Amino acid sequence: MLRFALAVAALAALLLPALAAAQDSLPPSPRRGVRVFLDCQQMHCDGDYFRTEIGFVDYVRNRQDADVQILVTRQRTGGGGNEYTANFIGIGRYTGRQDTLHFYTRQDATDDVIRRGLARTFKVGLLRYVAGTAAIEGIHVVYTPPTGAAAAPPPSRDPWNFWVFRVRASSYFHGESSSHSLNLSGSVSANRTTEQWKLDLSARGNYSEDRYQLDSVTNVTSTSKDFRTSGLAVRSVGTHWAVGAVASAGRSTYSNQALALRFAPGIEYDFYPYDESTRRQLTLRYNVGINRFRYDEQTIFFKTGETLFDESLTLSLDTRQPWGSASFQLQGAHYLDDFSQNRVQLDAEMDVRLFKGLSASFNASVSRVRDQRYLPAGGATPEEVLLQRRALATSYRYYGSVGLSYSFGSIFNNVVNPRFDGPGN
């Protein structure tokens, strides 16, 4: 082992000077005109592809070093596809210059179709910024007129009347000689989205089973069954208001509910116009609901079924800005027959660029729980506790994560080198 380590050290001593000399011989990245900070990490953008396809700008790692920030956001369309919004934000010498372009995809668009469309959108948006630099000399604009069906006007009648349907099914299983786990899930949905109406219908189910052989005579089997169907109808009222209602029916062994029915109308106000939703939303929503429960086991309140009324108020903020993104939601709810049966929950998520090279991420949720009327009087078995098959009595819940990232060195990241990519590296 010692001889092997000495051999590796000797080989490194011979190779490192040569590698360093080769690295020093590489020409520095030239300033070809415009420095671009591509800000679409939250959508898993293919940065290597964009750097390869759009070579007439310099890409930088930090917003502070850029001339242009391309901030990309995404929203689902009524047809099941996506609307990508590319905001070109001028920085430094281009401060005050902003442009916005949109790119639309179908619901069956592949990753390659999406990245090609985004690359084409970025090229068009960047032309205005590189027009006054030497890079414009190497750019040639080619226009391909549409032909065939693409040149024809869109049909005046939609045979599906804006309805989009989806069916999904999946399974997961693993095991060994002393254990076995199986999970089956499926869902079906239908939605119709127009400027005035939003209709969503869905049904989903999940079955989980775990088996453990503790010894030659002891076996433990635990199962979980969940099913839920729901419907949402929302009507736009102007640029700030919306009214709607949600209805649902389901069952959950985890929550001791053999049947759970709910109907809850509500009203929502967005402090910003809804057409700004890709960049910012600040909404306040009020709901009042009626619930009918039938329980698998008698509850801690000695109920096998009951009808309850509740109300809730939800304040939500969602913003995506050049400095990063933030999302907050504060919700309070209680049953009308007993105000002490209530719940307050705060969810927060942030990704912020503090200063050059340093960014911070934060994700947290905390809730005060006072409304567990569904808990079974008999409690949960040890197996159900360990496998998390039953909800347990609690007065609060929380989770969180905090992360910091700092980078320094060369501001350029134009080069793409895929060598030795893959597992094990």
Side-chain angles (χ1 to χ4, degrees):
M1 189 68 179
L2 179 59
R3 291 180 179 178
F4 177 74
L6 291 174
V8 171
L11 181 61
L14 291 173
L15 290 179
L16 286 177
L19 291 174
Q23 185 177 28
D24 292 340
S25 66
L26 293 174
S29 177
R31 174 66 184 268
R32 286 168 288 183
V34 177
R35 295 179 177 181
V36 173
F37 175 64
L38 183 57
D39 188 2
C40 58
Q41 294 88 348
Q42 291 190 349
M43 297 182 307
H44 308 289
C45 280
D46 192 342
D48 288 349
Y49 178 82
F50 297 134
R51 286 193 290 271
T52 302
E53 294 295 312
I54 310 174
F56 54 84
V57 296
D58 274 335
Y59 296 90
V60 295
R61 294 185 295 103
N62 300 307
R63 179 180 181 272
Q64 294 83 351
D65 297 314
D67 298 313
V68 183
Q69 177 182 5
I70 305 178
L71 176 62
V72 187
T73 58
R74 178 180 60 188
Q75 274 197 146
R76 186 164 294 278
T77 64
N82 288 290
E83 176 198 41
Y84 293 88
T85 303
N87 299 276
F88 297 82
I89 304 170
I91 304 171
R93 55 176 168 158
Y94 297 117
T95 298
R97 181 181 296 183
Q98 294 198 31
D99 299 288
T100 302
L101 295 177
H102 300 277
F103 167 59
Y104 297 89
T105 64
R106 294 173 33 160
Q107 61 174 318
D108 57 352
T110 63
D111 290 342
D112 185 62
V113 169
I114 294 172
R115 69 180 186 176
R116 286 177 182 271
L118 286 174
R120 185 171 59 251
T121 304
F122 296 162
K123 290 177 182 178
V124 173
L126 287 171
L127 285 178
R128 181 186 180 194
Y129 297 87
V130 302
T133 69
I136 197 66
E137 298 177 2
I139 295 178
H140 303 275
V141 179
V142 177
Y143 171 69
T144 304
T147 59
S156 58
R157 178 179 176 273
D158 180 2
W160 294 98
N161 195 24
F162 296 104
W163 281 100
V164 178
F165 303 89
R166 298 182 186 87
V167 178
R168 294 187 178 94
S170 63
S171 65
Y172 171 75
F173 52 89
H174 67 88
E176 55 182 349
S177 59
S178 58
S179 66
H180 167 79
S181 181
L182 172 66
N183 180 275
L184 302 173
S185 62
S187 66
V188 58
S189 66
N191 68 78
R192 183 179 186 270
T193 304
T194 66
E195 288 292 334
Q196 295 298 322
W197 282 97
K198 178 180 179 180
L199 303 175
D200 280 312
L201 305 173
S202 65
R204 61 174 178 82
N206 185 81
Y207 173 81
S208 296
E209 178 182 282
D210 292 290
R211 298 178 183 177
Y212 299 94
Q213 182 179 352
L214 303 182
D215 52 46
S216 58
V217 295
T218 306
N219 295 282
V220 175
T221 300
S222 176
T223 61
S224 175
K225 303 174 184 178
D226 292 277
F227 173 78
R228 177 181 171 86
T229 180
S230 63
L232 170 69
V234 180
R235 177 70 161 82
S236 299
V237 183
T239 59
H240 293 273
W241 290 93
V243 295
V246 61
S248 64
R251 70 104 69 243
S252 171
T253 55
Y254 180 82
S255 298
N256 188 33
Q257 294 172 345
L259 177 65
L261 302 175
R262 175 173 173 79
F263 176 75
I267 186 170
E268 179 183 85
Y269 178 77
D270 192 342
F271 292 87
Y272 302 110
Y274 280 110
D275 57 11
E276 298 182 15
S277 60
T278 59
R279 292 287 297 274
R280 58 181 184 175
Q281 276 189 294
L282 178 59
T283 60
L284 185 65
R285 185 174 71 250
Y286 173 77
N287 289 90
V288 59
I290 178 174
N291 307 269
R292 175 60 187 172
F293 298 112
R294 183 160 54 85
Y295 302 110
D296 288 318
E297 302 177 25
Q298 189 180 68
T299 69
I300 55 177
F301 293 97
F302 309 106
K303 300 283 188 179
T304 56
E306 57 185 333
T307 301
L308 299 170
F309 292 87
D310 65 37
E311 64 177 352
S312 65
L313 188 65
T314 306
L315 178 67
S316 300
L317 170 66
D318 192 355
T319 181
R320 183 86 189 275
Q321 301 298 329
W323 49 261
S325 61
S327 177
F328 298 90
Q329 179 172 288
L330 176 63
Q331 182 182 66
H334 65 85
Y335 288 112
L336 295 181
D337 67 327
D338 184 353
F339 280 31
S340 66
Q341 296 288 313
N342 58 68
R343 177 188 298 259
V344 179
Q345 181 167 331
L346 173 64
D347 299 292
E349 183 176 350
M350 295 185 67
D351 192 346
V352 182
R353 300 179 186 92
L354 301 177
F355 55 84
K356 184 176 179 179
L358 180 64
S359 61
S361 61
F362 171 79
N363 192 304
S365 176
V366 58
S367 58
R368 194 189 73 164
V369 182
R370 298 287 190 276
D371 61 351
Q372 291 182 291
R373 302 176 71 140
Y374 51 81
L375 293 175
T381 66
E383 292 82 3
E384 291 172 334
V385 173
L386 293 174
L387 297 175
Q388 298 183 341
R389 296 301 195 197
R390 284 281 195 181
L392 304 179
T394 184
S395 59
Y396 64 90
R397 293 191 181 101
Y398 68 91
Y399 73 84
S401 65
V402 179
L404 287 173
S405 174
Y406 181 67
S407 62
F408 55 92
S410 172
I411 65 173
F412 296 99
N413 64 348
N414 293 327
V415 180
V416 175
N417 190 336
R419 297 164 181 83
F420 271 62
D421 282 349
N425 298 318

